[in-house]
């Protein structure tokens, strides 16, 4: 039910609370509007309260005097700004906020300069999505999700949770709960872990039990471990038979796992550098593409006599044993052979045999020599096309 009677008295009383005296008051207020964009709530209020610097400003009335009010002219509300400019939790319409008095910019020149600040929302329902006591409209765009749950905490955990199924856990190994905690199966109690998730997956939306992280179900996640083992299922089944790397799900030292449907690394101005003390493994069930505007360079340690670049494995998984040919040397060797055949063709095309009448040509031999000469000349012309203009080796 909407109640709009005696609003002037309510606003007057609210305005008089915590006036310009030297006493700094604390109170609970109900939010009726929040500045989030230049048009939200209105362009006029955005500009009146400082433009872009007013983002996060709320319009409120003291809760005890406004708990039954649903709509009000925001210009008649009190105004408060975030207490911390670096960490802001923007309240929803209808939520309750804790408000304190604090110095305003003009307090440097006067003893009566005060300003209203809100330090956070009141956790009425202990709900990570919204805590409006009345359950009325929460704003223009916000809507609750039926499958959003709190995350299950363990002793000593510090968690930061968003309203939409995202959060960060500063946790540790808890051996007693290894049956429900994927990261507590090994190691010792207290081994630190940081888990960042965007998109927890609620196994049963009909239940209200808290969520716990499951690395193979979450939409996107980042795990930073110290001594934990995580049951990550790799996205690729193809594996190099000579790779000695321990799979992520079997690794028990510190590691970072970035897991999502797609991962993009982008450098806008400079290089992307990846270094490894051991192996670098790239695996896919599909295609690996290497694209470059200038050069693709595969290099090995030239000082190591055992260093090799290997292409493929045989059907039994053995290391390839056939070396590749060097292009220029192969070209020169073939050219030398063809030049020798050219000389032979010249001899054959002019070959004769002695007779009483003098030297006599050998028709079949001469014709064969001419044909050989033409064929070899054609091969020499084509020889220049067998070496690549793009791929080189040492």
């Amino acid at each position: 039910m909407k109640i709009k009677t005696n609003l002037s008295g309510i606003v007057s009383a609210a305005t008089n609370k915590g006036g310009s005296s030297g006493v700094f008051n604390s109170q609970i207020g109900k939010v009726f509007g929040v500045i989030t964009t230049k048009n939200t709530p209105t362009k006029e209020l955005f500009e009146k309260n400082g433009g872009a610097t007013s983002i996060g400003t709320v319009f409120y009335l003291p809760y005890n005097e406004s708990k039954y009010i649903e709509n009000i002219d925001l210009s008649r509300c009190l105004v408060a700004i975030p207490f911390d400019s670096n960490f802001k939790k923007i309240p929803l319409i209808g939520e309750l906020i804790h408000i304190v008095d604090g110095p305003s910019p003009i307090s440097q020149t006067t003893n009566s300069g005060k300003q209203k600040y809100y330090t956070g929302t009141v956790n009425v329902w202990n709900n990570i999505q919204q805590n409006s006591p009345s359950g009325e409209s929460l704003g223009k765009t916000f809507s609750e999700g039926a499958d959003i749950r709190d995350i299950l905490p363990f002793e000593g955990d510090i968690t930061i949770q968003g309203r939409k199924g995202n959060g960060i856990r500063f946790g540790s190994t808890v051996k007693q709960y290894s049956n429900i905690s994927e990261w507590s199966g090994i190691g010792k109690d207290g081994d630190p872990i940081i888990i960042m998730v965007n998109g927890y997956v609620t196994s049963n939306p009909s239940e209200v039990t808290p969520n716990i992280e499951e690395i193979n179900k979450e939409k996107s996640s980042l795990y930073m471990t110290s001594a934990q083992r995580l049951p990550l299922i790799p996205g690729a089944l193809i594996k190099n038979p000579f790779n000695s790397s321990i799979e992520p799900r079997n690794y028990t030292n510190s590691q970072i796992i970035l897991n999502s449907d797609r991962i993009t690394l982008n450098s806008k101005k400079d290089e992307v550098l990846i270094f490894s003390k051991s192996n670098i493994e790239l695996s896919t069930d599909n295609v690996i593409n290497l694209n470059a505007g200038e050069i693709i360079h595969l290099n090995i340690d030239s000082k190591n006599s055992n260093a090799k670049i290997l292409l493929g494995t045989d059907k039994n998984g053995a290391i390839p044993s056939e070396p590749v040919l060097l292009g220029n040397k192969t070209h020169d060797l073939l050219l030398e052979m063809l030049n020798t055949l050219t000389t032979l063709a010249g001899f054959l095309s002019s070959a004769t045999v002695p007779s009483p009448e003098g030297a006599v040509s050998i028709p079949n031999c001469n014709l064969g020599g001419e044909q050989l000469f033409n064929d070899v000349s054609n091969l020499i012309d084509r020889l220049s096309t067998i070496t690549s203009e793009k791929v080189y080796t040492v």
Side-chain angles (χ1 to χ4, degrees), residues 221-256:
S221 59
L222 172 64
Y223 285 71
M224 301 176 65
T225 74
S226 60
Q228 291 82 10
R229 182 172 60 200
L230 296 167
L232 177 70
I233 299 175
L237 301 177
I238 301 299
K239 184 178 178 182
N240 190 322
F242 297 96
N243 175 35
S244 59
S245 299
I246 301 173
E247 292 186 14
R249 58 185 171 182
N250 296 323
Y251 196 73
T252 57
N253 291 329
S254 59
Q255 65 176 326
I256 295 176

Coordinates of all heavy atoms in Angstrom, one line a residue, residues 221-256:
S221 N 36.4 -19.7 -13.9 CA 37.0 -19.7 -12.6 C 38.5 -19.6 -12.7 O 39.1 -19.9 -13.7 CB 36.6 -21.0 -11.8 OG 37.0 -22.2 -12.6
L222 N 39.0 -19.1 -11.6 CA 40.5 -19.0 -11.4 C 40.8 -19.6 -10.0 O 40.3 -19.2 -9.0 CB 40.9 -17.5 -11.5 CG 42.4 -17.2 -11.1 CD1 43.3 -17.9 -12.1 CD2 42.6 -15.7 -11.0
Y223 N 41.7 -20.6 -10.0 CA 42.2 -21.2 -8.8 C 43.7 -20.9 -8.6 O 44.5 -21.2 -9.5 CB 42.0 -22.7 -8.9 CG 40.5 -23.2 -8.7 CD1 39.6 -22.9 -9.7 CD2 40.1 -23.8 -7.6 CE1 38.3 -23.4 -9.6 CE2 38.8 -24.2 -7.4 CZ 37.9 -24.0 -8.4 OH 36.6 -24.4 -8.3
M224 N 44.0 -20.5 -7.4 CA 45.4 -20.3 -7.0 C 45.7 -21.2 -5.8 O 45.2 -20.9 -4.7 CB 45.7 -18.8 -6.7 CG 45.4 -17.9 -7.9 SD 45.6 -16.1 -7.5 CE 47.4 -16.1 -7.1
T225 N 46.4 -22.3 -6.0 CA 46.6 -23.3 -5.0 C 48.0 -23.2 -4.4 O 48.9 -22.5 -4.9 CB 46.4 -24.7 -5.6 OG1 47.6 -25.0 -6.4 CG2 45.2 -24.8 -6.4
S226 N 48.2 -23.9 -3.3 CA 49.5 -24.0 -2.6 C 49.9 -25.4 -2.5 O 51.0 -25.8 -2.8 CB 49.4 -23.3 -1.2 OG 48.5 -24.0 -0.4
A227 N 49.0 -26.3 -2.1 CA 49.3 -27.7 -2.0 C 48.1 -28.6 -2.2 O 48.0 -29.7 -1.7 CB 49.9 -28.0 -0.5
Q228 N 47.1 -28.1 -3.0 CA 45.9 -28.8 -3.2 C 45.9 -29.5 -4.6 O 46.8 -29.2 -5.4 CB 44.7 -27.8 -3.2 CG 44.4 -27.2 -1.9 CD 45.2 -26.0 -1.6 OE1 46.0 -25.5 -2.4 NE2 45.2 -25.5 -0.3
R229 N 45.1 -30.5 -4.7 CA 44.9 -31.2 -5.9 C 43.4 -31.0 -6.4 O 42.5 -31.2 -5.6 CB 45.2 -32.7 -5.7 CG 45.0 -33.6 -7.0 CD 45.5 -35.0 -6.8 NE 44.8 -35.6 -5.7 CZ 45.2 -36.7 -5.1 NH1 46.4 -37.2 -5.3 NH2 44.4 -37.3 -4.1
L230 N 43.3 -30.6 -7.6 CA 41.9 -30.3 -8.1 C 41.5 -31.3 -9.3 O 42.4 -31.6 -10.1 CB 41.9 -28.9 -8.7 CG 42.1 -27.8 -7.6 CD1 42.4 -26.5 -8.3 CD2 40.9 -27.7 -6.7
P231 N 40.3 -31.8 -9.3 CA 39.9 -32.8 -10.3 C 39.5 -32.2 -11.6 O 38.5 -32.5 -12.2 CB 38.7 -33.4 -9.6 CG 38.1 -32.3 -8.8 CD 39.2 -31.5 -8.3
L232 N 40.4 -31.4 -12.2 CA 40.1 -30.7 -13.5 C 40.1 -31.8 -14.6 O 41.0 -32.6 -14.7 CB 41.1 -29.7 -13.8 CG 41.0 -29.0 -15.1 CD1 39.7 -28.1 -15.1 CD2 42.2 -28.1 -15.4
I233 N 39.0 -31.7 -15.4 CA 39.0 -32.6 -16.6 C 39.4 -31.8 -17.8 O 38.8 -30.7 -18.1 CB 37.5 -33.1 -16.8 CG1 37.1 -33.9 -15.6 CG2 37.5 -33.9 -18.1 CD1 35.6 -34.4 -15.7
P234 N 40.6 -32.1 -18.4 CA 41.1 -31.3 -19.5 C 40.1 -31.2 -20.7 O 39.3 -32.2 -20.9 CB 42.4 -32.1 -20.0 CG 42.7 -32.9 -18.8 CD 41.4 -33.3 -18.1
G235 N 40.2 -30.2 -21.4 CA 39.3 -30.0 -22.6 C 39.7 -30.7 -23.8 O 39.0 -30.8 -24.8
A236 N 40.9 -31.3 -23.8 CA 41.4 -32.0 -25.0 C 41.8 -33.4 -24.6 O 42.3 -33.6 -23.5 CB 42.6 -31.3 -25.6
L237 N 41.6 -34.4 -25.5 CA 42.0 -35.8 -25.2 C 43.3 -36.2 -25.8 O 43.9 -37.2 -25.4 CB 40.9 -36.7 -25.7 CG 39.5 -36.5 -25.1 CD1 38.5 -37.4 -25.8 CD2 39.5 -36.7 -23.6
I238 N 43.8 -35.4 -26.8 CA 45.0 -35.7 -27.5 C 46.2 -35.3 -26.6 O 46.2 -34.3 -26.0 CB 45.1 -34.9 -28.8 CG1 44.0 -35.3 -29.7 CG2 46.5 -35.2 -29.5 CD1 43.9 -36.8 -30.1
K239 N 47.1 -36.3 -26.4 CA 48.3 -36.0 -25.6 C 49.5 -36.6 -26.2 O 49.5 -37.7 -26.8 CB 48.1 -36.7 -24.2 CG 49.2 -36.4 -23.2 CD 48.9 -37.1 -21.9 CE 50.1 -36.8 -20.9 NZ 49.8 -37.5 -19.6
N240 N 50.6 -35.8 -26.2 CA 51.9 -36.3 -26.7 C 52.4 -37.5 -25.9 O 52.5 -37.4 -24.7 CB 52.9 -35.1 -26.6 CG 54.1 -35.4 -27.4 OD1 54.6 -36.5 -27.4 ND2 54.7 -34.4 -28.0
P241 N 52.7 -38.6 -26.5 CA 53.1 -39.8 -25.7 C 54.4 -39.6 -25.0 O 54.8 -40.3 -24.1 CB 53.2 -40.9 -26.8 CG 53.4 -40.2 -28.1 CD 52.6 -38.9 -28.0
F242 N 55.2 -38.6 -25.4 CA 56.5 -38.3 -24.8 C 56.4 -37.2 -23.8 O 57.4 -36.7 -23.2 CB 57.6 -38.0 -25.9 CG 57.8 -39.2 -26.7 CD1 57.2 -39.3 -28.0 CD2 58.6 -40.2 -26.4 CE1 57.4 -40.3 -28.8 CE2 58.8 -41.3 -27.2 CZ 58.2 -41.4 -28.4
N243 N 55.2 -36.7 -23.5 CA 55.1 -35.6 -22.6 C 55.1 -36.2 -21.1 O 54.4 -37.1 -20.8 CB 53.7 -34.9 -22.8 CG 53.5 -33.8 -21.7 OD1 54.4 -33.2 -21.2 ND2 52.2 -33.7 -21.3
S244 N 56.0 -35.6 -20.3 CA 56.1 -36.1 -19.0 C 55.4 -35.2 -18.0 O 55.6 -35.4 -16.7 CB 57.6 -36.2 -18.6 OG 58.3 -35.0 -18.7
S245 N 54.7 -34.2 -18.4 CA 54.0 -33.3 -17.5 C 53.0 -34.0 -16.7 O 52.2 -34.9 -17.2 CB 53.4 -32.2 -18.3 OG 54.3 -31.4 -19.0
I246 N 52.9 -33.6 -15.4 CA 51.8 -34.1 -14.5 C 50.5 -33.4 -14.9 O 50.5 -32.1 -14.9 CB 52.2 -33.9 -13.1 CG1 53.5 -34.6 -12.7 CG2 51.1 -34.4 -12.1 CD1 54.0 -34.3 -11.4
E247 N 49.5 -34.1 -15.1 CA 48.2 -33.4 -15.4 C 47.7 -32.5 -14.2 O 48.0 -32.9 -13.0 CB 47.1 -34.5 -15.7 CG 47.4 -35.2 -17.0 CD 46.2 -36.1 -17.3 OE1 45.2 -36.0 -16.7 OE2 46.4 -37.0 -18.2
P248 N 47.0 -31.5 -14.5 CA 46.5 -30.6 -13.4 C 45.8 -31.3 -12.3 O 46.0 -31.0 -11.1 CB 45.6 -29.6 -14.1 CG 46.1 -29.6 -15.5 CD 46.6 -31.0 -15.8
R249 N 45.0 -32.3 -12.6 CA 44.2 -33.0 -11.6 C 45.1 -33.9 -10.7 O 44.6 -34.4 -9.7 CB 43.1 -33.9 -12.3 CG 43.7 -34.9 -13.3 CD 42.5 -35.6 -14.0 NE 43.0 -36.4 -15.1 CZ 42.2 -37.1 -15.8 NH1 40.9 -37.1 -15.6 NH2 42.6 -37.8 -16.8
N250 N 46.4 -34.1 -11.1 CA 47.3 -35.0 -10.3 C 48.4 -34.2 -9.6 O 49.2 -34.7 -8.9 CB 47.9 -36.1 -11.1 CG 46.9 -37.1 -11.7 OD1 45.9 -37.4 -11.0 ND2 47.0 -37.5 -12.9
Y251 N 48.4 -32.9 -9.9 CA 49.5 -32.0 -9.4 C 49.2 -31.5 -8.0 O 48.1 -31.2 -7.7 CB 49.7 -30.8 -10.4 CG 51.0 -30.1 -10.2 CD1 52.1 -30.6 -10.7 CD2 51.0 -28.8 -9.6 CE1 53.3 -30.0 -10.5 CE2 52.2 -28.1 -9.4 CZ 53.4 -28.7 -9.9 OH 54.6 -28.0 -9.8
T252 N 50.2 -31.6 -7.1 CA 50.0 -31.2 -5.7 C 50.8 -30.1 -5.2 O 50.8 -29.7 -4.1 CB 50.3 -32.5 -4.8 OG1 51.6 -32.9 -5.1 CG2 49.3 -33.6 -5.2
N253 N 51.7 -29.5 -6.1 CA 52.4 -28.3 -5.7 C 51.5 -27.1 -6.1 O 50.4 -27.2 -6.6 CB 53.8 -28.2 -6.4 CG 54.7 -29.3 -5.8 OD1 54.6 -29.7 -4.7 ND2 55.6 -29.8 -6.7
S254 N 52.0 -25.9 -5.8 CA 51.3 -24.7 -6.1 C 51.1 -24.6 -7.7 O 52.0 -24.8 -8.4 CB 52.0 -23.4 -5.6 OG 53.3 -23.3 -6.2
Q255 N 49.9 -24.2 -8.1 CA 49.6 -24.0 -9.5 C 48.5 -23.0 -9.6 O 47.7 -22.7 -8.7 CB 49.2 -25.3 -10.2 CG 48.0 -25.9 -9.7 CD 47.6 -27.2 -10.5 OE1 47.8 -27.3 -11.7 NE2 47.0 -28.2 -9.8
I256 N 48.3 -22.4 -10.8 CA 47.2 -21.5 -11.1 C 46.4 -22.2 -12.3 O 47.0 -22.5 -13.3 CB 47.7 -20.1 -11.6 CG1 48.4 -19.4 -10.4 CG2 46.6 -19.3 -12.1 CD1 49.0 -18.1 -10.7

